[in-house]
Amino acid sequence: MEEMEEELKCPVCGSFYREPIILPCSHNLCQACARNILVQTPESESPQSRRASGSGVSDYDYLDLDKMSLYSEADSGYGSYGGFASAPTTPCQKSPNGVRVFPPAMPPPATHLSPALAPVPRNSCITCPQCHRSLILDDRGLRGFPKNRVLEGVIDRYQQSKAAALKCQLCEKAPKEATVMCEQCDVFYCDPCRLRCHPPRGPLAKHRLVPPAQGRVSRRLSPRKVSTCTDHELENHSMYCVQCKMPVCYQCLEEGKHSSHEVKALGAMWKLHKSQLSQALNGLSDRAKEAKEFLVQLRNMVQQIQENSVEFEACLVAQCDALIDALNRRKAQLLARVNKEHEHKLKVVRDQISHCTVKLRQTTGLMEYCLEVIKENDPSGFLQISDALIRRVHLTEDQWGKGTLTPRMTTDFDLSLGQQPSAAIHSQLDFASSPCCTHNNSATLSWKQPPLSTVPAEGYIMELDDGNGGQFREVYVGKETMCTAFNKTGVSQYSKTLVLQTSEVAWFAFDPGSAHSDIIFSNDNLTVTCSSYDDRVVLGKTGFSKGVHYWELTVDRYDNHPDPAFGVARIDVMKDVMLGKDDKAWAMYVDNNRSWFMHNNSHTNRTEGGITKGATIGVLLDLNRKTLTFFINDEQQGPIAFENVEGLFFPAVSLNRNVQVTLHTGLPVPDFYSSRASIA
């Protein structure tokens, strides 16, 4: 029952309800708390003025919330009324449980009457502290609200069940322990509150004061209080109005307030609503039971997650450490090769420097000697040596022209870390979503030793077939579809055959990791432009070595008639020149009037027809037929651009700041090409 305690506490004072009343919005308030949050409204907002103007349609007049600001949304906890000239601005305070309330506009008069009987300021307004709905009280004041006797009974039973010491019901802050109870007032008092609020004189002198424990027993044994009508205090509720959803008395029916409403006996509706509430509670009880079971499941999951996390983290650290060790070993091997290449290049270049220096010194000496000979004035002496000098000069010149002035070694290191840039390798280290999967035109396989195996495997044998029912064959490079394990005891049984199908079309984007630094990416790396006026190259993320592949690029911006190039390239293509300038790219570059095919800086097949903003360029790479073909606006541009292309190719583009293009992938091969290929 402790979980029910919040339902039994007033939202204003934070204590158990004392003489609770029911507001029209169905929320409850202590009578004393209700009086504390009353405020005055202007005369123009009174119920009498509203009814006189014809705007009043019910016993309770709700205020227009747009005309006044009851609560501040700031965290300071202070607010004020606004919009009423006659309403003084008063600070807003917080009750013990955090609900904002307003102090009374004026202190209540000192009286020993109950809060409901004390006079209420004219034109008073009350705001529900829970739903913030405001209404203006009529002439009855707080007496117009029914008392919640059921809630009082629940609170009494709850307090009795806790067997707690009875507390004074009139202490404003921390209630003190009660010392007496007045049977007539039905209120528990501590000594200070009894002397202040229940003096032994006047009419109160006839009241009987008993110890708190005896008062609790007498309250429990006293007959159940019958609620009286709020409009007719001498009449008990005897009927229930279905439309108004409230109990009414016989006099209410006589006055005709509910003449057109459906009215039923109070006892019958009491039993009906009890039955309905019980049925509703059954469904809610089932949900609560399911929630408890679900919480147990979640708590078990928390424990399991923690255990699995520790185990998986240890496994991850071990695998990464092993990978780091392998990378360090491979790094040392590669560095040794780089150092060897470095020393070789330096030796060749230094030898060429030494040879060229000696040759230059000899040439310079011959030139100086010839110049001195030319200065001689003796013709016979000159002619005696001139033929020999002329032959020596021509011979020396010929020696310089036989590749002597060409470097024997390049400065580049012809070493590459595989087919992908090193920046992309570490990004592929991730948690596999499944042991075996396909992506675009590639397949990924993984396997591990059977969990019940007692002898560790020393290695694995991988085999594949041709996809047409042929024999399996051992492979060391390729897409593995079957594996067996072997150790010193022999070869195990074959695993289950695994069949993987790669996608017929590929989806990819441009690759920031391999692009020139001047390339600007957007639209999830599908749109590119450049920050430089010089041509810069960008590659696609996916490489192709088999199959037929088609993609398109739309020209989003085309200013000042530049020459963008489109095609395919190797991973190590030059990135700071137009695509096709070296032997690592096969491309078509195009302006606003015509196009050319280019490979290794060789221009061929000039074709009329260029591009403008909005044009579409198609690239068709058929690695089955080893051809590369281009299209502009769905029309083939020129003949087949390149033939006998084979190897690994990446989609590529070169452009400058005057061009912006967007990539479109996952496209099927054009129909006319498919039909032509089938005929061929």
PDB file of all heavy atoms in Angstrom, residues 421 423 510-521 528-529 536-541 571 573-576 653 655:
ATOM      1  N   PRO A 421      43.703   1.971 -50.682  1.00  0.00           N
ATOM      2  CA  PRO A 421      44.569   2.864 -49.894  1.00  0.00           C
ATOM      3  C   PRO A 421      44.600   2.436 -48.445  1.00  0.00           C
ATOM      4  O   PRO A 421      43.647   1.884 -47.916  1.00  0.00           O
ATOM      5  CB  PRO A 421      43.906   4.237 -50.072  1.00  0.00           C
ATOM      6  CG  PRO A 421      42.486   3.932 -50.408  1.00  0.00           C
ATOM      7  CD  PRO A 421      42.511   2.661 -51.195  1.00  0.00           C
ATOM      8  N   ALA A 423      44.410   4.149 -45.914  1.00  0.00           N
ATOM      9  CA  ALA A 423      43.414   4.838 -45.079  1.00  0.00           C
ATOM     10  C   ALA A 423      42.108   4.078 -45.030  1.00  0.00           C
ATOM     11  O   ALA A 423      41.348   4.199 -44.070  1.00  0.00           O
ATOM     12  CB  ALA A 423      43.161   6.251 -45.615  1.00  0.00           C
ATOM     13  N   PHE A 510      31.531   8.197 -54.094  1.00  0.00           N
ATOM     14  CA  PHE A 510      32.910   8.630 -54.276  1.00  0.00           C
ATOM     15  C   PHE A 510      33.702   8.380 -52.998  1.00  0.00           C
ATOM     16  O   PHE A 510      33.155   8.398 -51.889  1.00  0.00           O
ATOM     17  CB  PHE A 510      32.946  10.108 -54.653  1.00  0.00           C
ATOM     18  CG  PHE A 510      32.454  10.397 -56.045  1.00  0.00           C
ATOM     19  CD1 PHE A 510      31.317  11.164 -56.257  1.00  0.00           C
ATOM     20  CD2 PHE A 510      33.130   9.903 -57.149  1.00  0.00           C
ATOM     21  CE1 PHE A 510      30.860  11.427 -57.535  1.00  0.00           C
ATOM     22  CE2 PHE A 510      32.691  10.160 -58.437  1.00  0.00           C
ATOM     23  CZ  PHE A 510      31.542  10.925 -58.629  1.00  0.00           C
ATOM     24  N   ASP A 511      34.994   8.203 -53.139  1.00  0.00           N
ATOM     25  CA  ASP A 511      35.855   7.825 -52.021  1.00  0.00           C
ATOM     26  C   ASP A 511      36.692   9.014 -51.553  1.00  0.00           C
ATOM     27  O   ASP A 511      37.662   9.393 -52.219  1.00  0.00           O
ATOM     28  CB  ASP A 511      36.763   6.678 -52.449  1.00  0.00           C
ATOM     29  CG  ASP A 511      37.635   6.186 -51.301  1.00  0.00           C
ATOM     30  OD1 ASP A 511      37.333   6.523 -50.144  1.00  0.00           O
ATOM     31  OD2 ASP A 511      38.610   5.457 -51.570  1.00  0.00           O
ATOM     32  N   PRO A 512      36.364   9.623 -50.407  1.00  0.00           N
ATOM     33  CA  PRO A 512      37.182  10.746 -49.908  1.00  0.00           C
ATOM     34  C   PRO A 512      38.601  10.322 -49.549  1.00  0.00           C
ATOM     35  O   PRO A 512      39.521  11.136 -49.587  1.00  0.00           O
ATOM     36  CB  PRO A 512      36.407  11.215 -48.670  1.00  0.00           C
ATOM     37  CG  PRO A 512      35.030  10.646 -48.808  1.00  0.00           C
ATOM     38  CD  PRO A 512      35.188   9.374 -49.560  1.00  0.00           C
ATOM     39  N   GLY A 513      38.796   9.042 -49.186  1.00  0.00           N
ATOM     40  CA  GLY A 513      40.118   8.608 -48.743  1.00  0.00           C
ATOM     41  C   GLY A 513      41.160   8.604 -49.843  1.00  0.00           C
ATOM     42  O   GLY A 513      42.348   8.790 -49.571  1.00  0.00           O
ATOM     43  N   SER A 514      40.748   8.387 -51.104  1.00  0.00           N
ATOM     44  CA  SER A 514      41.722   8.312 -52.193  1.00  0.00           C
ATOM     45  C   SER A 514      41.683   9.532 -53.106  1.00  0.00           C
ATOM     46  O   SER A 514      42.447   9.599 -54.066  1.00  0.00           O
ATOM     47  CB  SER A 514      41.451   7.054 -53.032  1.00  0.00           C
ATOM     48  OG  SER A 514      40.164   7.124 -53.630  1.00  0.00           O
ATOM     49  N   ALA A 515      40.799  10.497 -52.836  1.00  0.00           N
ATOM     50  CA  ALA A 515      40.639  11.647 -53.727  1.00  0.00           C
ATOM     51  C   ALA A 515      41.709  12.707 -53.470  1.00  0.00           C
ATOM     52  O   ALA A 515      42.359  12.734 -52.418  1.00  0.00           O
ATOM     53  CB  ALA A 515      39.256  12.258 -53.552  1.00  0.00           C
ATOM     54  N   HIS A 516      41.872  13.603 -54.450  1.00  0.00           N
ATOM     55  CA  HIS A 516      42.763  14.754 -54.269  1.00  0.00           C
ATOM     56  C   HIS A 516      42.185  15.662 -53.188  1.00  0.00           C
ATOM     57  O   HIS A 516      40.961  15.765 -53.013  1.00  0.00           O
ATOM     58  CB  HIS A 516      42.900  15.517 -55.595  1.00  0.00           C
ATOM     59  CG  HIS A 516      44.012  16.525 -55.585  1.00  0.00           C
ATOM     60  ND1 HIS A 516      43.875  17.768 -55.015  1.00  0.00           N
ATOM     61  CD2 HIS A 516      45.282  16.466 -56.080  1.00  0.00           C
ATOM     62  CE1 HIS A 516      45.008  18.442 -55.166  1.00  0.00           C
ATOM     63  NE2 HIS A 516      45.876  17.670 -55.804  1.00  0.00           N
ATOM     64  N   SER A 517      43.050  16.330 -52.475  1.00  0.00           N
ATOM     65  CA  SER A 517      42.600  17.157 -51.345  1.00  0.00           C
ATOM     66  C   SER A 517      41.743  18.340 -51.776  1.00  0.00           C
ATOM     67  O   SER A 517      41.032  18.917 -50.946  1.00  0.00           O
ATOM     68  CB  SER A 517      43.816  17.658 -50.559  1.00  0.00           C
ATOM     69  OG  SER A 517      44.681  18.414 -51.403  1.00  0.00           O
ATOM     70  N   ASP A 518      41.775  18.727 -53.054  1.00  0.00           N
ATOM     71  CA  ASP A 518      40.964  19.853 -53.513  1.00  0.00           C
ATOM     72  C   ASP A 518      39.523  19.453 -53.828  1.00  0.00           C
ATOM     73  O   ASP A 518      38.694  20.317 -54.111  1.00  0.00           O
ATOM     74  CB  ASP A 518      41.585  20.483 -54.772  1.00  0.00           C
ATOM     75  CG  ASP A 518      42.906  21.183 -54.472  1.00  0.00           C
ATOM     76  OD1 ASP A 518      43.130  21.515 -53.293  1.00  0.00           O
ATOM     77  OD2 ASP A 518      43.703  21.392 -55.403  1.00  0.00           O
ATOM     78  N   ILE A 519      39.217  18.159 -53.820  1.00  0.00           N
ATOM     79  CA  ILE A 519      37.859  17.703 -54.127  1.00  0.00           C
ATOM     80  C   ILE A 519      36.953  18.001 -52.938  1.00  0.00           C
ATOM     81  O   ILE A 519      37.316  17.751 -51.781  1.00  0.00           O
ATOM     82  CB  ILE A 519      37.844  16.199 -54.454  1.00  0.00           C
ATOM     83  CG1 ILE A 519      38.644  15.942 -55.736  1.00  0.00           C
ATOM     84  CG2 ILE A 519      36.427  15.689 -54.621  1.00  0.00           C
ATOM     85  CD1 ILE A 519      38.026  16.551 -56.981  1.00  0.00           C
ATOM     86  N   ILE A 520      35.748  18.508 -53.221  1.00  0.00           N
ATOM     87  CA  ILE A 520      34.758  18.859 -52.186  1.00  0.00           C
ATOM     88  C   ILE A 520      33.589  17.886 -52.311  1.00  0.00           C
ATOM     89  O   ILE A 520      33.004  17.740 -53.384  1.00  0.00           O
ATOM     90  CB  ILE A 520      34.271  20.305 -52.346  1.00  0.00           C
ATOM     91  CG1 ILE A 520      35.462  21.279 -52.255  1.00  0.00           C
ATOM     92  CG2 ILE A 520      33.220  20.645 -51.295  1.00  0.00           C
ATOM     93  CD1 ILE A 520      35.087  22.709 -52.575  1.00  0.00           C
ATOM     94  N   PHE A 521      33.232  17.239 -51.199  1.00  0.00           N
ATOM     95  CA  PHE A 521      32.185  16.221 -51.188  1.00  0.00           C
ATOM     96  C   PHE A 521      30.920  16.757 -50.531  1.00  0.00           C
ATOM     97  O   PHE A 521      30.980  17.580 -49.615  1.00  0.00           O
ATOM     98  CB  PHE A 521      32.651  14.979 -50.419  1.00  0.00           C
ATOM     99  CG  PHE A 521      33.782  14.243 -51.080  1.00  0.00           C
ATOM    100  CD1 PHE A 521      35.086  14.672 -50.896  1.00  0.00           C
ATOM    101  CD2 PHE A 521      33.541  13.141 -51.874  1.00  0.00           C
ATOM    102  CE1 PHE A 521      36.137  14.006 -51.498  1.00  0.00           C
ATOM    103  CE2 PHE A 521      34.574  12.467 -52.473  1.00  0.00           C
ATOM    104  CZ  PHE A 521      35.877  12.906 -52.292  1.00  0.00           C
ATOM    105  N   VAL A 528      30.206  15.842 -56.105  1.00  0.00           N
ATOM    106  CA  VAL A 528      31.559  16.358 -55.944  1.00  0.00           C
ATOM    107  C   VAL A 528      31.756  17.590 -56.814  1.00  0.00           C
ATOM    108  O   VAL A 528      31.133  17.745 -57.865  1.00  0.00           O
ATOM    109  CB  VAL A 528      32.630  15.303 -56.324  1.00  0.00           C
ATOM    110  CG1 VAL A 528      32.653  14.168 -55.329  1.00  0.00           C
ATOM    111  CG2 VAL A 528      32.392  14.766 -57.727  1.00  0.00           C
ATOM    112  N   THR A 529      32.608  18.480 -56.342  1.00  0.00           N
ATOM    113  CA  THR A 529      33.121  19.597 -57.119  1.00  0.00           C
ATOM    114  C   THR A 529      34.562  19.802 -56.681  1.00  0.00           C
ATOM    115  O   THR A 529      35.140  18.929 -56.029  1.00  0.00           O
ATOM    116  CB  THR A 529      32.267  20.862 -56.927  1.00  0.00           C
ATOM    117  OG1 THR A 529      32.752  21.905 -57.783  1.00  0.00           O
ATOM    118  CG2 THR A 529      32.296  21.344 -55.494  1.00  0.00           C
ATOM    119  N   ARG A 536      41.302  17.905 -61.027  1.00  0.00           N
ATOM    120  CA  ARG A 536      41.595  17.021 -59.908  1.00  0.00           C
ATOM    121  C   ARG A 536      40.761  15.749 -60.053  1.00  0.00           C
ATOM    122  O   ARG A 536      39.632  15.784 -60.532  1.00  0.00           O
ATOM    123  CB  ARG A 536      41.274  17.694 -58.570  1.00  0.00           C
ATOM    124  CG  ARG A 536      42.082  18.959 -58.307  1.00  0.00           C
ATOM    125  CD  ARG A 536      43.556  18.647 -58.140  1.00  0.00           C
ATOM    126  NE  ARG A 536      44.350  19.808 -57.766  1.00  0.00           N
ATOM    127  CZ  ARG A 536      45.258  20.379 -58.533  1.00  0.00           C
ATOM    128  NH1 ARG A 536      45.492  19.892 -59.745  1.00  0.00           N
ATOM    129  NH2 ARG A 536      45.941  21.420 -58.117  1.00  0.00           N
ATOM    130  N   VAL A 537      41.313  14.606 -59.622  1.00  0.00           N
ATOM    131  CA  VAL A 537      40.690  13.299 -59.844  1.00  0.00           C
ATOM    132  C   VAL A 537      40.088  12.782 -58.541  1.00  0.00           C
ATOM    133  O   VAL A 537      40.674  12.933 -57.462  1.00  0.00           O
ATOM    134  CB  VAL A 537      41.728  12.299 -60.390  1.00  0.00           C
ATOM    135  CG1 VAL A 537      41.149  10.884 -60.453  1.00  0.00           C
ATOM    136  CG2 VAL A 537      42.196  12.734 -61.776  1.00  0.00           C
ATOM    137  N   VAL A 538      38.908  12.138 -58.660  1.00  0.00           N
ATOM    138  CA  VAL A 538      38.266  11.454 -57.550  1.00  0.00           C
ATOM    139  C   VAL A 538      37.791  10.096 -58.059  1.00  0.00           C
ATOM    140  O   VAL A 538      37.299   9.974 -59.179  1.00  0.00           O
ATOM    141  CB  VAL A 538      37.095  12.277 -56.970  1.00  0.00           C
ATOM    142  CG1 VAL A 538      36.076  12.617 -58.038  1.00  0.00           C
ATOM    143  CG2 VAL A 538      36.416  11.518 -55.826  1.00  0.00           C
ATOM    144  N   LEU A 539      37.961   9.052 -57.225  1.00  0.00           N
ATOM    145  CA  LEU A 539      37.590   7.688 -57.590  1.00  0.00           C
ATOM    146  C   LEU A 539      36.345   7.252 -56.830  1.00  0.00           C
ATOM    147  O   LEU A 539      36.000   7.801 -55.779  1.00  0.00           O
ATOM    148  CB  LEU A 539      38.730   6.716 -57.278  1.00  0.00           C
ATOM    149  CG  LEU A 539      40.083   6.977 -57.939  1.00  0.00           C
ATOM    150  CD1 LEU A 539      41.069   5.898 -57.537  1.00  0.00           C
ATOM    151  CD2 LEU A 539      39.951   7.037 -59.453  1.00  0.00           C
ATOM    152  N   GLY A 540      35.692   6.219 -57.362  1.00  0.00           N
ATOM    153  CA  GLY A 540      34.616   5.573 -56.641  1.00  0.00           C
ATOM    154  C   GLY A 540      35.167   4.611 -55.600  1.00  0.00           C
ATOM    155  O   GLY A 540      36.325   4.186 -55.661  1.00  0.00           O
ATOM    156  N   LYS A 541      34.325   4.235 -54.632  1.00  0.00           N
ATOM    157  CA  LYS A 541      34.785   3.370 -53.549  1.00  0.00           C
ATOM    158  C   LYS A 541      34.909   1.910 -53.967  1.00  0.00           C
ATOM    159  O   LYS A 541      35.622   1.153 -53.329  1.00  0.00           O
ATOM    160  CB  LYS A 541      33.814   3.462 -52.363  1.00  0.00           C
ATOM    161  CG  LYS A 541      34.176   4.545 -51.357  1.00  0.00           C
ATOM    162  CD  LYS A 541      33.470   4.313 -50.053  1.00  0.00           C
ATOM    163  CE  LYS A 541      34.016   5.246 -48.980  1.00  0.00           C
ATOM    164  NZ  LYS A 541      33.419   5.001 -47.662  1.00  0.00           N
ATOM    165  N   ILE A 571      43.846   2.190 -59.021  1.00  0.00           N
ATOM    166  CA  ILE A 571      43.835   2.834 -57.717  1.00  0.00           C
ATOM    167  C   ILE A 571      44.955   3.852 -57.569  1.00  0.00           C
ATOM    168  O   ILE A 571      44.829   4.842 -56.853  1.00  0.00           O
ATOM    169  CB  ILE A 571      43.923   1.776 -56.592  1.00  0.00           C
ATOM    170  CG1 ILE A 571      43.670   2.407 -55.219  1.00  0.00           C
ATOM    171  CG2 ILE A 571      45.255   1.070 -56.643  1.00  0.00           C
ATOM    172  CD1 ILE A 571      42.290   2.941 -55.049  1.00  0.00           C
ATOM    173  N   VAL A 573      46.197   5.937 -59.880  1.00  0.00           N
ATOM    174  CA  VAL A 573      46.186   6.929 -60.946  1.00  0.00           C
ATOM    175  C   VAL A 573      46.658   8.281 -60.408  1.00  0.00           C
ATOM    176  O   VAL A 573      46.502   8.577 -59.209  1.00  0.00           O
ATOM    177  CB  VAL A 573      44.762   7.036 -61.547  1.00  0.00           C
ATOM    178  CG1 VAL A 573      43.799   7.580 -60.501  1.00  0.00           C
ATOM    179  CG2 VAL A 573      44.740   7.928 -62.789  1.00  0.00           C
ATOM    180  N   MET A 574      47.226   9.109 -61.279  1.00  0.00           N
ATOM    181  CA  MET A 574      47.630  10.471 -60.868  1.00  0.00           C
ATOM    182  C   MET A 574      46.383  11.278 -60.547  1.00  0.00           C
ATOM    183  O   MET A 574      45.417  11.284 -61.317  1.00  0.00           O
ATOM    184  CB  MET A 574      48.438  11.140 -61.981  1.00  0.00           C
ATOM    185  CG  MET A 574      49.775  10.462 -62.278  1.00  0.00           C
ATOM    186  SD  MET A 574      50.634  11.178 -63.701  1.00  0.00           S
ATOM    187  CE  MET A 574      50.885  12.849 -63.113  1.00  0.00           C
ATOM    188  N   LYS A 575      46.417  12.004 -59.424  1.00  0.00           N
ATOM    189  CA  LYS A 575      45.234  12.726 -58.957  1.00  0.00           C
ATOM    190  C   LYS A 575      45.261  14.220 -59.269  1.00  0.00           C
ATOM    191  O   LYS A 575      44.264  14.905 -59.037  1.00  0.00           O
ATOM    192  CB  LYS A 575      45.099  12.551 -57.434  1.00  0.00           C
ATOM    193  CG  LYS A 575      45.093  11.108 -56.936  1.00  0.00           C
ATOM    194  CD  LYS A 575      43.925  10.321 -57.453  1.00  0.00           C
ATOM    195  CE  LYS A 575      43.729   9.007 -56.726  1.00  0.00           C
ATOM    196  NZ  LYS A 575      44.899   8.224 -56.450  1.00  0.00           N
ATOM    197  N   ASP A 576      46.379  14.755 -59.770  1.00  0.00           N
ATOM    198  CA  ASP A 576      46.487  16.205 -59.959  1.00  0.00           C
ATOM    199  C   ASP A 576      46.526  16.606 -61.431  1.00  0.00           C
ATOM    200  O   ASP A 576      46.946  17.721 -61.762  1.00  0.00           O
ATOM    201  CB  ASP A 576      47.734  16.718 -59.243  1.00  0.00           C
ATOM    202  CG  ASP A 576      48.999  16.005 -59.704  1.00  0.00           C
ATOM    203  OD1 ASP A 576      48.881  15.037 -60.482  1.00  0.00           O
ATOM    204  OD2 ASP A 576      50.088  16.417 -59.284  1.00  0.00           O
ATOM    205  N   VAL A 653      36.484  10.327 -62.074  1.00  0.00           N
ATOM    206  CA  VAL A 653      36.082  11.609 -62.660  1.00  0.00           C
ATOM    207  C   VAL A 653      37.201  12.603 -62.389  1.00  0.00           C
ATOM    208  O   VAL A 653      37.811  12.575 -61.311  1.00  0.00           O
ATOM    209  CB  VAL A 653      34.761  12.127 -62.042  1.00  0.00           C
ATOM    210  CG1 VAL A 653      34.423  13.499 -62.602  1.00  0.00           C
ATOM    211  CG2 VAL A 653      33.619  11.161 -62.297  1.00  0.00           C
ATOM    212  N   LEU A 655      37.688  16.939 -62.608  1.00  0.00           N
ATOM    213  CA  LEU A 655      36.934  18.168 -62.812  1.00  0.00           C
ATOM    214  C   LEU A 655      37.606  19.297 -62.051  1.00  0.00           C
ATOM    215  O   LEU A 655      38.498  19.059 -61.220  1.00  0.00           O
ATOM    216  CB  LEU A 655      35.491  17.999 -62.344  1.00  0.00           C
ATOM    217  CG  LEU A 655      35.210  17.853 -60.836  1.00  0.00           C
ATOM    218  CD1 LEU A 655      33.723  17.957 -60.584  1.00  0.00           C
ATOM    219  CD2 LEU A 655      35.711  16.542 -60.282  1.00  0.00           C
TER     220      LEU A 655
END
